[in-house]
């Protein structure tokens, strides 16, 4: 139970996400200021806002993360690679890349591997591969995880949040598959401090959420016994 470990500092785990289609430049500024103020690991934004975030967070701790092929993962490999390269040129140091689920389910594992490997090799940055675990069988999760790690991914990420969110069971499975070689990012539908803490204890090393500030407040209340 989360109440058994209220002293975990969740702030350094959080990727402060602003991935709504209606995100504005004013919200980007707010998210960056919050990421810095609360010592979050990163701010995660659409590619169009990377330059703004890099300027706002210059010389500060939070990293600038963006999403590639988001949310479906079905754009061409050339488009994903260009999107990733452009994001890095704009200053992003972390890339959350959506796997091509159709290829994976269709057995085109070499194409999946090549696409991820090219992005990892050509950008040289931290790549978190979004597996979209809610749409995969456990056997497919295993294949996707192994491909991603072999291709050079730095993290296995559960979800985009568009097709369900992270579960403790999936985080545990990914941790077992990762064998501590890569990080685990739990993402999607993390609304309560109990969820956040349970995911961390299960093995998550990052949490992708738009509710980081609320989680911090809940954590503070939990520590006070409220």
């Amino acid at each position: 139970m989360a109440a058994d470990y209220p002293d975990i500092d969740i702030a350094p785990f959080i990727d402060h996400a602003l991935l709504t289609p209606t995100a504005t430049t004013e919200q980007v500024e707010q998210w960056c200021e919050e990421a810095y103020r609360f010592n979050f690991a990163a701010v995660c934004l659409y590619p169009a806002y990377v330059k703004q975030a890099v300027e706002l967070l210059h010389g500060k701790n939070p990293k600038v993360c963006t999403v590639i092929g988001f949310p479906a993962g079905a754009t061409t490999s050339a488009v994903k690679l260009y999107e990733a390269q452009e994001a890095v040129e704009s200053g992003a140091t972390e890339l959350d890349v959506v796997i091509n689920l159709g290829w994976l389910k269709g057995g085109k594992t070499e194409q999946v591997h090549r696409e991820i490997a090219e992005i990892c090799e050509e950008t040289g940055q931290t790549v978190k591969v979004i597996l979209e675990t809610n749409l995969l069988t456990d056997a497919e999760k295993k294949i996707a995880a192994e491909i991603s790690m072999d291709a050079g991914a730095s993290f296995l990420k559960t979800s985009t949040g568009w097709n369900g969110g992270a579960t403790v069971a999936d985080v545990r499975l990914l941790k077992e598959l990762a064998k501590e070689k890569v990080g685990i990012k739990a993402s999607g539908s993390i609304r309560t401090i109990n969820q956040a803490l349970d995911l961390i204890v299960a093995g998550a090393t990052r949490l992708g959420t738009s509710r980081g500030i609320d989680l911090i407040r809940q954590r503070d209340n939990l520590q006070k016994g409220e």
Side-chain angles (χ1 to χ4, degrees):
M1 295 293 293
D4 296 332
Y5 33 82
D7 294 331
I8 294 176
D9 183 6
I10 67 167
F13 287 84
I14 292 176
D15 283 2
H16 197 33
L18 179 61
L19 295 171
T20 60
T22 56
T24 65
T25 55
E26 290 78 15
Q27 286 177 304
V28 171
E29 184 173 357
Q30 175 189 338
W31 252 247
C32 288
E33 190 277 329
E34 290 171 346
Y36 173 63
R37 177 155 48 99
F38 288 95
N39 195 34
F40 292 154
V43 61
C44 188
L45 310 153
Y46 279 113
Y49 299 109
V50 167
K51 282 186 178 180
Q52 181 189 0
V54 169
E55 291 173 359
L56 290 168
L57 290 171
H58 179 70
K60 297 178 180 177
N61 288 330
K63 297 177 175 64
V64 175
C65 171
T66 194
V67 288
I68 305 298
F70 192 89
T75 48
T76 66
S77 295
V79 168
K80 281 186 182 176
L81 179 59
Y82 179 84
E83 188 176 30
Q85 289 174 320
E86 184 180 45
V88 171
E89 288 172 4
S90 296
T93 57
E94 297 194 347
L95 307 170
D96 286 17
V97 181
V98 187
I99 200 169
N100 189 312
L101 294 164
W103 284 354
L104 181 72
K105 287 182 171 289
K108 297 180 179 179
T109 54
E110 289 185 10
Q111 288 175 250
V112 176
H113 183 281
R114 186 182 309 117
E115 180 175 273
I116 298 168
E118 284 182 349
I119 292 172
C120 291
E121 291 168 8
E122 294 298 325
T123 65
Q125 300 298 325
T126 296
V127 172
K128 309 187 199 97
V129 178
I130 305 175
L131 307 182
E132 205 69 296
T133 49
N134 289 287
L135 301 182
L136 303 178
T137 64
D138 282 355
E140 290 169 338
K141 293 168 195 174
K142 184 174 186 290
I143 293 169
E146 290 174 347
I147 289 172
S148 300
M149 290 188 291
D150 188 65
S154 300
F155 283 79
L156 302 175
K157 179 177 174 180
T158 60
S159 326
T160 60
W162 289 56
N163 297 286
T167 67
V168 166
D170 278 338
V171 168
R172 285 178 178 156
L173 176 61
L174 294 182
K175 180 183 179 182
E176 180 183 341
L177 294 172
K179 295 179 171 57
E180 299 187 356
K181 296 177 183 176
V182 300
I184 307 296
K185 180 174 175 178
S187 184
S189 302
I190 305 173
R191 298 185 175 90
T192 70
I193 187 61
N194 285 359
Q195 286 177 294
L197 292 171
D198 286 341
L199 290 166
I200 290 170
V201 171
T205 55
R206 289 282 187 92
L207 301 175
T209 177
S210 62
R211 297 178 172 86
I213 307 302
D214 190 38
L215 293 176
I216 295 295
R217 293 194 183 105
Q218 291 180 44
R219 188 273 318 270
D220 291 344
N221 290 335
L222 181 63
Q223 290 178 339
K224 295 174 184 175
E226 296 179 5

